[in-house]
């Protein structure tokens, strides 16, 4: 059973609250900056799985890295359980850092090839309890079981495991620090579809058994909609829409979300049904030089004059979602095909 879905906006006592977050990178040569994230706000409830989707370059990883204090925050705030996480320094930062852990796309990069799985899991446990020289065997075994592996994997090195098993070890390492929030950045994107399903089910069971919240980032709407209760759709550094997975896929309110749904593969391929034509064409404009007004306007089939001059605000709709489109109330958009 999933935690009851709630609206696209605020929840009581969120675990994570991101408010008007700006992440900027200085471009090489000259003083120009690139706004990878531009005024993004959303909240994640305790035990909630929140999905973030969008094309390559839309700023998903920059949001994740800003939360982890790995990307430069130009303005805005990241609050974790009432603490200004973006302002923590020194000892306070070390003390609270373990509360948010990240799992990356390729566990090969985050696991030391020379370490056995036993050593890889013992390392974060020692960080958790600096006085314990050796990680208790039963905690390591428990971690392995939680992620669907067993003691037979303990003395293997990462290269002796499959991609899916390596990703399970990366998740176990993150869990060793008992985080409240797990940030998964394209954590299943490099895996085969059948292996992806196993990791997704693992994340669902961890959310239920351990009560952790998950920020699940992917460019694959199908995967995110299967896992997340609410989804934020990013386009060129901004949020275009936030809604429950159900509402977002059945009744998208932003033309970009409609286009993403139209690009999904057919659930039941049928020779009788004409394929849907693509609703957006071409690549996204560069984040270094975004269009004026609505950033989606150069690819939006509903764009009008106002869209070039006025940037649409992310605003609440009566049905509970949030949308950044001037004409959301009057557009009749097509959802996912049954
Ligand atoms: N360290 C950096 N220096 C300069 N520009 C960067 C840096 N990191 C990201 N960017 C730029 O910021 C924008 C957002 O990148 P980001 O990696 O956050 O997007 P993404 O949505 O995660 O994309 P992908 O789906 O490819 O992972 C892009 O235009 C990217 O080129
Ligand atoms: S504001 Fe205009 S350009 Fe932007 S999504 Fe809505 S209709 Fe399209
Ligand atoms: Mg990324």
């Amino acid at each position: 059973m999933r935690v009851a879905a709630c609206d696209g906006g605020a929840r009581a006592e969120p675990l994570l609250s991101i408010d008007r977050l700006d992440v900027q990178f200085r471009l090489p040569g000259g003083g120009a900056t690139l706004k990878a994230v531009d005024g993004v706000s959303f909240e994640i409830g305790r035990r909630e799985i929140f999905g973030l989707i969008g094309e390559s370059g839309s700023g998903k990883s920059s949001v994740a890295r800003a939360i982890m204090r790995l990307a430069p925050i130009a303005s805005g705030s990241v609050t974790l359980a009432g603490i200004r996480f973006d302002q923590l320094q020194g000892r306070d930062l070390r003390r609270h850092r373990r509360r948010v852990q990240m799992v990356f796309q390729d566990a090969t990069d985050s696991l030391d090839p020379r370490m056995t799985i036993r050593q890889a899991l013992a390392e974060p446990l020692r960080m958790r309890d600096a006085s314990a020289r050796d990680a208790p065997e039963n905690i390591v075994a428990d971690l392995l079981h939680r992620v669907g592996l067993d003691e037979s994997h303990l003395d293997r090195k990462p290269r002796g495991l499959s991609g899916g098993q390596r990703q399970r070890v990366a998740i176990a390492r993150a869990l060793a620090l008992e985080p409240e929030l797990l940030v998964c950045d394209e954590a299943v994107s490099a895996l085969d579809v059948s292996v992806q399903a196993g990791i997704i089910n693992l994340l669902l069971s961890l959310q239920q058994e351990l009560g952790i919240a998950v920020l699940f980032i992917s460019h694959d709407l199908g995967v995110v909609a299967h896992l997340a209760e609410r989804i934020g759709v990013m386009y060129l550094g901004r949020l275009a829409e936030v809604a429950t997975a159900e509402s977002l896929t059945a009744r998208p309110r932003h033309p970009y979300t409609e286009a993403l749904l139209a690009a999904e593969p057919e659930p039941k391929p049928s020779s009788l049904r004409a394929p849907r034509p693509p609703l957006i064409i071409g690549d996204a404009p560069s984040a270094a030089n975004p269009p004026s007004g609505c950033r989606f306007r150069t690819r939006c089939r509903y764009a009008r004059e106002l869209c070039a001059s006025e940037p649409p605000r992310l605003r609440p709709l009566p049905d509970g979602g949030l949308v950044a489109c001037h004409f959301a109330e009057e557009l009749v958009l097509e959802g996912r095909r049954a």
Side-chain angles (χ1 to χ4, degrees):
M1 262 272 293
R2 288 191 184 185
V3 177
C6 85
D7 64 20
R11 291 184 139 197
E13 293 186 331
L15 172 67
L16 183 83
S17 178
I18 292 180
D19 189 32
R20 285 164 287 177
L21 182 72
D22 281 1
V23 175
Q24 294 183 9
F25 296 106
R26 199 165 287 282
L27 293 172
T33 53
L34 178 148
K35 267 197 172 184
V37 180
D38 188 5
V40 164
S41 303
F42 64 87
E43 293 178 345
I44 303 181
R46 290 177 192 276
R47 311 176 72 99
E48 185 183 15
I49 301 185
F50 185 87
L52 205 53
I53 59 158
E55 278 164 293
S56 184
S58 57
K60 307 178 298 296
S61 294
S62 299
V63 168
R65 293 173 66 79
I67 295 170
M68 301 302 298
R69 304 278 307 257
L70 300 171
I73 297 178
S75 61
S77 62
V78 176
T79 306
L80 182 78
I83 294 172
R84 276 292 296 271
F85 203 64
D86 56 298
Q87 291 187 342
L88 292 175
Q89 298 293 342
R91 233 175 56 191
D92 286 339
L93 178 58
R94 281 196 294 282
R95 195 154 58 90
H96 290 287
R97 192 160 223 162
R98 61 146 200 89
R99 299 174 68 180
V100 186
Q101 292 297 310
M102 192 154 167
V103 178
F104 297 89
Q105 173 164 352
D106 192 352
T108 323
D109 295 337
S110 55
L111 296 174
D112 185 333
R114 293 161 304 179
M115 278 191 186
T116 62
I117 303 313
R118 184 193 304 275
Q119 290 166 326
L121 294 179
E123 194 182 50
L125 285 173
R126 272 198 297 274
M127 268 161 65
R128 191 172 88 186
D129 180 6
S131 59
R133 270 181 58 91
D134 297 312
E137 286 289 312
N138 52 353
I139 300 183
V140 171
D142 181 52
L143 279 170
L144 272 182
H145 292 155
R146 279 212 183 281
V147 299
L149 299 174
D150 59 48
E151 283 86 341
S152 69
H153 299 99
L154 274 175
D155 294 311
R156 295 198 208 165
K157 298 215 169 134
R159 67 169 181 278
L161 301 177
S162 68
Q165 289 170 334
R166 275 199 294 272
Q167 206 56 309
R168 286 172 189 267
V169 173
I171 294 172
R173 251 172 81 86
L175 293 178
L177 292 166
E178 299 182 336
E180 288 146 75
L181 175 69
L182 199 59
V183 176
C184 298
D185 189 2
E186 305 282 1
V188 300
S189 306
L191 305 174
D192 291 343
V193 172
S194 59
V195 183
Q196 279 188 358
I199 301 285
I200 287 165
N201 288 334
L202 169 64
L203 290 172
L204 280 170
S205 70
L206 292 174
Q207 175 224 13
Q208 283 157 26
E209 285 164 26
L210 304 178
I212 54 172
V214 180
L215 171 58
F216 187 84
I217 296 173
S218 172
H219 58 270
D220 186 335
L221 175 54
V223 170
V224 177
H226 181 71
L227 185 66
E229 291 142 47
R230 289 185 308 139
I231 298 175
V233 181
M234 285 191 76
Y235 188 80
L236 272 189
R238 291 188 182 158
L239 275 173
E241 180 167 4
V242 182
T244 61
E246 231 175 299
S247 148
L248 191 105
T249 50
R251 295 175 304 283
R253 306 304 295 269
H254 195 284
Y256 179 54
T257 315
E258 182 191 46
L260 288 177
L261 287 164
E264 281 193 314
E266 280 281 328
K268 292 177 206 140
S270 154
S271 55
L272 298 173
R273 198 147 74 174
R276 272 168 92 169
L279 299 188
I280 40 173
I281 38 162
D283 297 329
S286 156
N289 187 21
S292 64
C294 175
R295 292 191 169 180
F296 188 53
R297 73 175 168 83
T298 53
R299 298 164 90 196
C300 179
R301 59 185 183 144
Y302 308 103
R304 302 182 205 167
E305 218 172 300
L306 175 69
C307 307
S309 55
E310 280 291 319
R313 241 178 359 96
L314 188 72
R315 58 195 170 83
L317 290 172
D319 65 6
L322 301 166
V323 70
C325 169
H326 294 304
F327 306 109
E329 280 81 357
E330 58 189 89
L331 296 178
V332 181
L333 306 180
E334 201 178 338
R336 179 182 270 169
R337 279 186 171 189

